[in-house]
Amino acid sequence: MSSITATGRKRRNAELGLGFLAIVVTIGGYILLALARGPSLPPDLAALGVGVVGLYVAAHVAVRRLAPGADGTLLPLAALLNGIGFVTIARLDRDLARIQSIWSAVGVGAFFLTLLFIRHVRSLERYTYTFAFLALGLLLVPLVPHVGLTVNGARIWAHFGSLHFQPGEPAKVLWVIFFAGYLTQKRELLSAGTRSVGRMRLPAARHLGPLVAVWGVSILVLVFERDLGSSLLFFAVFAAMLYMATERSAYLVGSLAMFSVGAVTAFHLFGHVRDRVQGWLNPWPYRHSAKGFQIILSWYAFAAGGAYGKGIGLGIPGRIPYASTDFIFAAIGEELGLIGGLAVVICFLLIVGSGFRIAVESSRPFSKLFAAGLTTILGLQTFIIIGGVTRVIPLTGITLPFVSYGGSSLVANFVILALLLRMSDENARDQAVERSRAVVAV
């Protein structure tokens, strides 16, 4: 136990030191933003400092007390991304920044509650199908009359009174619990197969059925809610986890083929999807319409930023519609330049690398798949939005984790962060037990 205590102490001290750097970057960026507007410091600087330091210290103490052996880099990286996002949102709209600070506090609260109540991730495996039904229910909430809201052609919002949120954000975490639990139970049957079709061996229908149902739900999301980003995310995570569980490339190819059929069908059925694809293929003929001018303005922003950026508060990123949500990476590229944009990408790569390392180190099949699935969500969501802004793939209405404005996404991402830290702590404890057994054996 002494080794886990020593390891945990080192990780927590590293977490505290790296978190201090994230706080300095956040407060420094906020000061630079104020100085770009005038010669005086921001009047709410003290309140911001207390808030930023208080939230980070609260999250750090929660990890120190509830998951002392957890990875020491994930929390500082998330804090840095959240800080960069807050400064960029404050640059674009100070009212939105104030709301985002409240959502950050709610996210840290969700982070604490997740660590407090989920002491063993393996306990989630017992409720695999319960989480599947909850996820399905959440996905269908936007389709309920008088509850769902259509925004920019996609019906992904729900409201209860003055509370507006995206049910798909918590649903994605619940889906991953279902995928991890089901694939853990059926992995051997899905890998080996029980029926031969030509040279291929396929699993029985009763084992494949729930997976086909998941594919059907993804297509329903695409068809009825017209949300290309979420459906792409759900389906890609599902396909990736299926491949990781079975190591059969046939599932990956089959999933890609099924999604392609659904995407082509949606292209012909819905103008909202067709506009996004046409604007992606060639935005210049549509430079005066919503099809193309957003992506073109995004290119101008990256070009204006160059390598070093125009400086915080010195660009004009507000000309891009939805700059605080869908196009926040373009705003970062304009004012922080290629170097700032690469710093953000490197932060995400480090988070994804840490997440997959947690998955590899896990000795339990459920935890291994669960950690890999949660990490895949963060990685794919980052690729989808940055790829959309830079025209690598069609643009979708999806947020950049920890950075974009949006309470639902921010809270869900803090829950994912807490779950990864919980599994990292469990790995550290398992490794300490193994080392103790090895010493006794010697």
Side-chain angles (χ1 to χ4, degrees):
M1 186 58 70
S2 58
S3 60
I4 178 66
T5 302
T7 302
R9 188 181 303 113
K10 289 180 181 178
R11 289 181 174 181
R12 299 285 69 77
N13 291 338
E15 182 181 84
L16 190 60
L18 292 172
F20 175 75
L21 294 177
I23 291 171
V24 169
V25 170
T26 302
I27 295 178
Y30 196 69
I31 292 174
L32 289 175
L33 176 59
L35 293 178
R37 293 169 173 165
S40 57
L41 293 174
D44 56 351
L45 180 60
L48 175 79
V50 171
V52 170
V53 173
L55 286 177
Y56 188 82
V57 170
H60 170 73
V61 170
V63 178
R64 187 175 283 272
R65 297 297 299 271
L66 300 172
D71 182 281
T73 60
L74 283 173
L75 181 60
L77 287 169
L80 179 60
L81 290 171
N82 192 215
I84 292 173
F86 173 79
V87 173
T88 307
I89 294 168
R91 163 71 181 88
L92 296 164
D93 190 325
R94 297 184 71 84
D95 291 334
L96 287 184
R98 279 190 283 271
I99 298 173
Q100 183 76 347
S101 65
I102 295 172
W103 281 117
S104 293
V106 175
V108 172
F111 175 87
F112 169 74
L113 292 175
T114 303
L115 287 177
L116 180 65
F117 289 108
I118 301 178
R119 295 302 182 97
H120 302 284
V121 167
R122 61 179 179 274
S123 64
L124 300 176
E125 188 178 0
R126 290 179 293 180
Y127 308 103
T128 296
Y129 291 96
T130 303
F131 287 121
F133 285 114
L134 287 174
L136 178 59
L138 283 171
L139 281 180
L140 296 177
V141 166
L143 300 178
V144 177
H146 308 296
V147 174
L149 292 173
T150 300
V151 179
N152 298 323
R155 194 176 179 85
I156 58 176
W157 286 88
H159 74 98
F160 295 96
S162 59
L163 177 64
H164 294 67
F165 69 103
Q166 291 185 8
E169 292 294 337
K172 66 186 182 186
V173 181
L174 301 178
W175 269 132
V176 173
I177 298 174
F178 165 70
F179 290 152
Y182 186 84
L183 292 173
T184 299
Q185 297 167 14
K186 306 290 184 181
R187 179 174 54 180
E188 293 184 0
L189 292 170
L190 293 170
S191 300
T194 55
R195 298 170 55 190
S196 296
V197 179
R199 299 176 61 183
M200 293 182 59
R201 291 188 63 80
L202 298 177
R206 65 177 181 277
H207 302 311
L208 196 60
L211 300 181
V212 175
V214 170
W215 173 78
V217 170
S218 299
I219 296 301
L220 284 176
V221 171
L222 176 63
V223 171
F224 290 103
E225 300 183 359
R226 304 182 184 184
D227 181 13
L228 183 62
S230 294
S231 59
L232 174 60
L233 180 63
F234 288 146
F235 206 89
V237 169
F238 158 66
M241 292 184 68
L242 183 58
Y243 174 72
M244 286 185 282
T246 63
E247 299 182 354
R248 289 187 64 180
S249 57
Y251 285 124
L252 207 57
V253 175
S255 299
L256 182 62
M258 286 191 292
F259 184 82
S260 300
V261 171
V264 170
T265 303
F267 175 82
H268 291 287
L269 288 179
F270 302 113
H272 173 67
V273 176
R274 193 162 49 247
D275 289 348
R276 293 292 178 94
V277 175
Q278 289 174 340
W280 168 61
L281 292 174
N282 186 7
W284 292 105
Y286 313 107
R287 59 186 178 277
H288 298 301
S289 70
K291 281 187 184 181
F293 75 93
Q294 277 183 298
I295 191 68
I296 290 174
L297 289 177
S298 175
W299 289 350
Y300 280 129
F302 285 119
Y308 304 104
K310 301 187 73 172
I312 297 176
L314 301 178
I316 46 175
R319 62 186 172 179
I320 308 174
Y322 305 105
S324 61
T325 52
D326 299 3
F327 281 85
I328 197 165
F329 189 70
I332 292 173
E334 179 174 354
E335 299 209 331
L336 300 182
L338 177 64
I339 293 176
L342 284 176
V344 170
V345 172
I346 289 172
C347 284
F348 281 113
L349 289 176
L350 290 173
I351 288 177
V352 170
S354 296
F356 280 125
R357 180 169 51 79
I358 292 170
V360 169
E361 290 178 348
S362 179
S363 58
R364 301 181 179 92
F366 175 78
S367 297
K368 189 181 290 292
L369 276 175
F370 191 35
L374 294 177
T375 305
T376 302
I377 281 183
L378 292 176
L380 277 176
Q381 192 166 334
T382 302
F383 169 75
I384 288 171
I385 187 59
I386 292 182
V389 170
T390 54
R391 202 181 154 226
V392 174
I393 60 174
L395 182 65
T396 62
I398 204 168
T399 57
L400 188 59
F402 298 109
V403 180
S404 294
Y405 171 76
S408 307
S409 173
L410 191 58
V411 173
N413 289 323
F414 270 111
V415 170
I416 290 174
L417 181 69
L419 291 170
L420 288 174
L421 288 173
R422 169 57 68 210
M423 285 182 276
S424 175
D425 181 58
E426 290 179 350
N427 292 345
R429 292 179 183 279
D430 290 343
Q431 291 166 3
V433 171
E434 289 296 325
R435 284 195 293 269
S436 299
R437 289 175 178 170
V439 170
V440 172
V442 172

